[in-house]
Amino acid sequence: MLVTREMDYALRILRALHQQGQMSAAAVAEQEHMQKAITLKLLKQLHAAGIVDSRRGPNGGYLLARPCSRLNLYDLFSALGETIYINRCQQPDYHCENPGNCGLCREFTRVQAVLDSELRRTPLNALFET
């Protein structure tokens, strides 16, 4: 599993909004030392996933749509379209060459369940507390 730079940036955006409340994209980018373009791109993805809201106007900006206490790493991976599969046999459209008799798929399924559980275990606010 690889936590992409995009995932890291999304976490930093959520941390900023969690700690500061409503912020402009420029303020988030500056605080988190990110380029404004990638910040805007990720804010749009997070907005489309229902994780952040946006407000227009002179007092506008971005804010959390759901508190970080109700979000976890699994939610964020899913929101960014980065479903984590430890092996191709975990993907929904995969057809095993040895169906019903594959110890590898059984073990990968067990490990996948543990990984998914761990990604869901800790709310993001626990990661952002200093």
Side-chain angles (χ1 to χ4, degrees):
M1 171 179 67
L2 175 67
V3 175
T4 63
R5 181 174 292 178
E6 198 168 75
M7 177 68 166
D8 176 60
Y9 287 168
L11 281 165
R12 290 164 54 186
I13 289 168
L14 294 181
R15 177 181 62 194
L17 296 176
H18 172 74
Q19 293 174 342
Q20 302 296 324
Q22 184 173 310
M23 299 176 74
S24 69
V28 171
E30 183 178 335
Q31 178 177 315
E32 295 298 326
H33 309 287
M34 300 176 352
Q35 294 179 354
K36 187 176 175 188
I38 188 71
T39 303
L40 281 168
K41 175 187 170 198
L42 289 169
L43 281 165
K44 286 179 185 178
Q45 286 182 279
L46 294 168
H47 183 265
I51 293 176
V52 300
D53 278 334
S54 64
R55 297 207 173 125
R56 296 179 186 256
N59 296 322
Y62 292 88
L63 64 156
L64 294 171
R66 299 182 348 208
C68 286
S69 60
R70 292 183 43 221
L71 293 167
N72 54 51
L73 289 171
Y74 188 91
D75 296 329
L76 194 53
F77 274 109
S78 297
L80 297 177
E82 296 187 27
T83 306
I84 299 171
Y85 297 112
I86 62 165
N87 188 285
R88 64 188 174 127
C89 67
Q90 300 308 299
Q91 296 174 345
D93 60 345
Y94 180 76
H95 298 287
C96 185
E97 295 86 13
N98 196 9
N101 216 10
C102 184
L104 293 174
C105 286
R106 279 192 305 276
E107 181 62 8
F108 288 145
T109 297
R110 183 194 69 75
V111 172
Q112 184 74 50
V114 171
L115 174 61
D116 290 349
S117 175
E118 285 298 307
L119 290 172
R120 288 181 170 112
R121 185 173 64 95
T122 305
L124 292 183
N125 66 308
L127 303 177
F128 299 153
E129 300 301 322
T130 54

